[in-house]
Every structure is written in structure tokens, then in C-alpha cells.
Coordinates of all heavy atoms in Angstrom, one line a residue:
L1 N 5.9 25.2 -4.5 CA 5.3 26.1 -3.5 C 5.8 25.8 -2.1 O 6.0 26.7 -1.3 CB 3.8 26.0 -3.5 CG 2.9 26.7 -2.5 CD1 3.0 28.2 -2.8 CD2 1.5 26.3 -2.6
V2 N 6.0 24.5 -1.7 CA 6.4 24.1 -0.4 C 7.8 23.7 -0.3 O 8.3 23.1 0.7 CB 5.5 23.0 0.2 CG1 4.0 23.5 0.2 CG2 5.6 21.7 -0.7
N3 N 8.6 24.0 -1.4 CA 10.0 23.8 -1.4 C 10.4 22.3 -1.3 O 11.4 21.9 -0.7 CB 10.7 24.6 -0.3 CG 10.6 26.1 -0.5 OD1 10.7 26.6 -1.6 ND2 10.2 26.8 0.6
G4 N 9.6 21.5 -1.9 CA 9.9 20.1 -2.0 C 10.0 19.3 -0.7 O 9.4 19.7 0.3
F5 N 10.8 18.2 -0.7 CA 11.0 17.4 0.5 C 12.0 18.0 1.5 O 13.0 18.6 1.0 CB 11.4 16.0 0.1 CG 10.4 15.2 -0.6 CD1 10.5 15.0 -2.0 CD2 9.3 14.7 0.1 CE1 9.5 14.3 -2.7 CE2 8.3 13.9 -0.6 CZ 8.4 13.7 -2.0
E6 N 11.8 17.9 2.7 CA 12.7 18.3 3.8 C 13.9 17.4 3.8 O 13.8 16.3 4.2 CB 12.0 18.4 5.1 CG 12.9 18.7 6.3 CD 13.7 20.0 6.1 OE1 13.0 21.0 6.0 OE2 14.9 19.9 6.1
E7 N 15.1 18.0 3.5 CA 16.3 17.1 3.4 C 16.9 16.7 4.8 O 17.8 15.9 4.8 CB 17.3 17.8 2.5 CG 16.8 18.0 1.1 CD 17.8 18.5 0.1 OE1 19.0 18.8 0.5 OE2 17.5 18.8 -1.0
K8 N 16.4 17.3 5.9 CA 16.8 16.9 7.2 C 16.1 15.5 7.5 O 16.6 14.8 8.4 CB 16.4 17.9 8.2 CG 17.2 19.2 8.2 CD 16.7 20.2 9.2 CE 17.4 21.5 9.1 NZ 16.9 22.5 10.1
L9 N 15.1 15.2 6.8 CA 14.4 13.9 7.0 C 14.9 13.0 5.9 O 14.4 12.9 4.8 CB 12.9 14.1 6.9 CG 12.3 14.9 8.0 CD1 10.8 15.3 7.7 CD2 12.4 14.3 9.3
T10 N 16.0 12.2 6.2 CA 16.7 11.5 5.2 C 15.9 10.2 4.8 O 16.0 9.8 3.6 CB 18.1 11.1 5.7 OG1 18.0 10.3 6.9 CG2 18.9 12.3 6.0
V11 N 15.2 9.6 5.7 CA 14.6 8.3 5.4 C 13.1 8.3 5.8 O 12.2 8.1 4.9 CB 15.3 7.1 6.1 CG1 14.5 5.8 5.9 CG2 16.7 7.0 5.7
A12 N 12.8 8.7 7.0 CA 11.4 8.5 7.5 C 10.7 9.9 7.5 O 11.3 10.9 7.7 CB 11.4 7.9 8.9
F13 N 9.4 9.8 7.3 CA 8.5 10.9 7.6 C 8.6 12.1 6.6 O 7.9 13.1 6.7 CB 8.6 11.5 9.0 CG 8.4 10.5 10.1 CD1 9.4 10.3 11.0 CD2 7.3 9.6 10.1 CE1 9.3 9.4 12.0 CE2 7.2 8.6 11.1 CZ 8.2 8.5 12.1
N14 N 9.5 12.0 5.6 CA 9.6 13.1 4.6 C 8.4 13.3 3.8 O 8.0 14.4 3.5 CB 10.8 12.9 3.7 CG 11.1 11.4 3.4 OD1 10.2 10.8 2.9 ND2 12.2 10.9 3.7
D15 N 7.6 12.2 3.5 CA 6.4 12.4 2.8 C 5.3 13.0 3.7 O 4.5 13.8 3.2 CB 5.9 11.0 2.2 CG 6.0 9.9 3.1 OD1 6.3 10.1 4.3 OD2 5.9 8.7 2.7
V16 N 5.3 12.6 5.0 CA 4.3 13.2 5.9 C 4.6 14.7 6.1 O 3.6 15.5 6.0 CB 4.4 12.5 7.3 CG1 3.4 13.1 8.3 CG2 4.2 11.0 7.1
D17 N 5.8 15.0 6.2 CA 6.2 16.5 6.4 C 5.8 17.2 5.1 O 5.2 18.3 5.2 CB 7.7 16.6 6.6 CG 8.2 18.0 6.6 OD1 8.0 18.7 7.6 OD2 8.7 18.4 5.5
F18 N 6.0 16.6 3.9 CA 5.7 17.3 2.7 C 4.2 17.5 2.5 O 3.7 18.6 2.2 CB 6.2 16.4 1.5 CG 5.8 16.9 0.1 CD1 6.5 17.9 -0.4 CD2 4.8 16.3 -0.6 CE1 6.1 18.4 -1.7 CE2 4.4 16.7 -1.8 CZ 5.1 17.8 -2.4
C19 N 3.4 16.5 2.9 CA 1.9 16.6 2.8 C 1.4 17.6 3.7 O 0.4 18.3 3.4 CB 1.3 15.2 3.0 SG 1.5 14.1 1.6
L20 N 2.0 17.6 4.9 CA 1.5 18.6 5.9 C 1.8 20.0 5.5 O 1.0 21.0 5.7 CB 2.1 18.3 7.3 CG 1.5 17.1 8.0 CD1 2.3 16.8 9.3 CD2 0.1 17.3 8.3
K21 N 2.9 20.2 4.8 CA 3.2 21.6 4.2 C 2.2 21.9 3.2 O 1.7 23.1 3.1 CB 4.6 21.6 3.6 CG 5.7 21.5 4.7 CD 7.1 21.8 4.1 CE 7.6 20.7 3.1 NZ 9.0 21.0 2.6
L22 N 1.8 21.0 2.4 CA 0.7 21.2 1.4 C -0.6 21.6 2.1 O -1.3 22.5 1.7 CB 0.5 20.0 0.5 CG 1.6 19.7 -0.5 CD1 1.4 18.3 -1.2 CD2 1.7 20.8 -1.6
Y23 N -0.9 20.8 3.1 CA -2.2 21.1 3.9 C -2.2 22.5 4.5 O -3.2 23.2 4.4 CB -2.3 20.0 4.9 CG -3.6 20.2 5.7 CD1 -4.9 20.0 5.1 CD2 -3.6 20.5 7.1 CE1 -6.0 20.1 5.8 CE2 -4.8 20.6 7.8 CZ -6.0 20.4 7.2 OH -7.2 20.5 7.9
E24 N -1.0 22.9 5.0 CA -0.9 24.2 5.6 C -1.0 25.3 4.6 O -1.4 26.4 4.8 CB 0.4 24.3 6.4 CG 0.4 23.5 7.7 CD 0.4 24.3 8.9 OE1 1.3 25.2 9.0 OE2 -0.5 24.1 9.8
A25 N -0.7 24.9 3.3 CA -0.8 25.9 2.2 C -2.2 25.9 1.6 O -2.4 26.6 0.6 CB 0.2 25.5 1.1
G26 N -3.1 25.2 2.2 CA -4.5 25.3 1.8 C -4.9 24.2 0.8 O -6.0 24.2 0.3
K27 N -4.1 23.2 0.7 CA -4.4 22.1 -0.2 C -4.9 20.9 0.5 O -4.6 20.6 1.7 CB -3.1 21.6 -1.0 CG -2.4 22.8 -1.8 CD -3.3 23.2 -3.0 CE -2.6 24.3 -3.8 NZ -3.3 24.6 -5.0
F28 N -5.8 20.1 -0.1 CA -6.3 18.9 0.4 C -5.6 17.7 -0.2 O -5.6 17.5 -1.4 CB -7.8 18.8 0.2 CG -8.6 19.8 1.0 CD1 -8.9 21.0 0.5 CD2 -9.0 19.5 2.3 CE1 -9.6 22.0 1.3 CE2 -9.7 20.4 3.1 CZ -10.0 21.7 2.5
N29 N -5.1 16.8 0.6 CA -4.4 15.6 0.1 C -5.5 14.5 0.0 O -6.3 14.3 0.8 CB -3.3 15.2 1.0 CG -2.3 16.3 1.2 OD1 -1.8 16.8 0.2 ND2 -1.9 16.6 2.4
V30 N -5.4 13.7 -1.1 CA -6.4 12.7 -1.4 C -5.8 11.3 -1.6 O -4.7 11.2 -2.3 CB -7.2 13.1 -2.7 CG1 -8.2 12.1 -3.0 CG2 -7.8 14.5 -2.5
W31 N -6.5 10.3 -1.1 CA -6.1 8.9 -1.4 C -7.2 8.3 -2.2 O -8.4 8.4 -2.0 CB -6.0 8.2 0.0 CG -5.8 6.7 -0.2 CD1 -4.6 6.0 -0.4 CD2 -6.8 5.7 -0.1 NE1 -4.8 4.7 -0.5 CE2 -6.2 4.4 -0.3 CE3 -8.2 5.7 0.0 CZ2 -6.9 3.2 -0.3 CZ3 -8.9 4.5 0.0 CH2 -8.2 3.3 -0.1
L32 N -6.7 7.6 -3.3 CA -7.7 7.0 -4.3 C -7.8 5.5 -4.1 O -6.8 4.8 -4.1 CB -7.2 7.3 -5.7 CG -7.0 8.8 -6.0 CD1 -6.6 8.9 -7.5 CD2 -8.3 9.6 -5.7
H33 N -9.0 5.0 -3.8 CA -9.2 3.6 -3.6 C -9.1 2.8 -4.8 O -8.8 1.6 -4.7 CB -10.6 3.4 -2.9 CG -11.7 3.4 -3.9 ND1 -12.2 2.3 -4.5 CD2 -12.4 4.5 -4.4 CE1 -13.2 2.6 -5.3 NE2 -13.4 4.0 -5.3
N34 N -9.3 3.3 -6.0 CA -9.3 2.6 -7.2 C -8.1 2.8 -8.1 O -8.1 2.6 -9.3 CB -10.6 2.9 -8.0 CG -10.8 4.4 -8.2 OD1 -10.0 5.2 -7.8 ND2 -12.0 4.7 -8.7
V35 N -7.0 3.1 -7.4 CA -5.6 3.1 -8.0 C -4.8 2.1 -7.2 O -4.4 2.4 -6.0 CB -5.0 4.5 -8.0 CG1 -3.5 4.4 -8.5 CG2 -5.8 5.4 -8.9
E36 N -4.6 0.9 -7.7 CA -4.1 -0.2 -6.9 C -2.7 -0.6 -7.4 O -2.5 -0.8 -8.7 CB -5.0 -1.4 -6.9 CG -6.4 -1.1 -6.3 CD -7.4 -2.2 -6.4 OE1 -7.6 -2.7 -7.6 OE2 -7.8 -2.7 -5.4
L37 N -1.8 -0.9 -6.5 CA -0.4 -1.3 -6.9 C 0.1 -2.2 -5.8 O -0.4 -2.2 -4.6 CB 0.5 -0.1 -7.0 CG 0.1 1.1 -7.9 CD1 -0.6 2.2 -7.1 CD2 1.3 1.7 -8.6

């Protein structure tokens, strides 16, 4: 839906950009406290 990761962002902030595209598309991004790595 959001055309994946922005390839102009080769190393930094590509995940931030991706999540913000999802948010603008009406999705809520969630962080889970009980999934630990």
C-alpha cells in the first residue's frame, strides 16, 4: 500500500519514513512490551 521502503534512504530513517507512510494511510503503529529480543 505504501510502496515499501524509500530507496533514497539507504541507511538511516527508512523505517521511520515507512511507518509515517503507514500512519498517513490511516494505520496505527504498535510497540509490544512483551516481545523481547
Side-chain angles (χ1 to χ4, degrees):
L1 176 69
V2 298
N3 298 314
F5 292 105
E6 172 55 62
E7 295 184 5
K8 292 178 182 177
L9 297 169
T10 60
V11 177
F13 307 126
N14 33 57
D15 44 9
V16 179
D17 173 79
F18 176 76
C19 287
L20 287 175
K21 289 191 294 184
L22 288 171
Y23 182 66
E24 291 249 305
K27 303 290 182 176
F28 291 90
N29 302 309
V30 179
W31 173 84
L32 304 183
H33 77 95
N34 48 10
V35 173
E36 300 176 300
L37 308 94

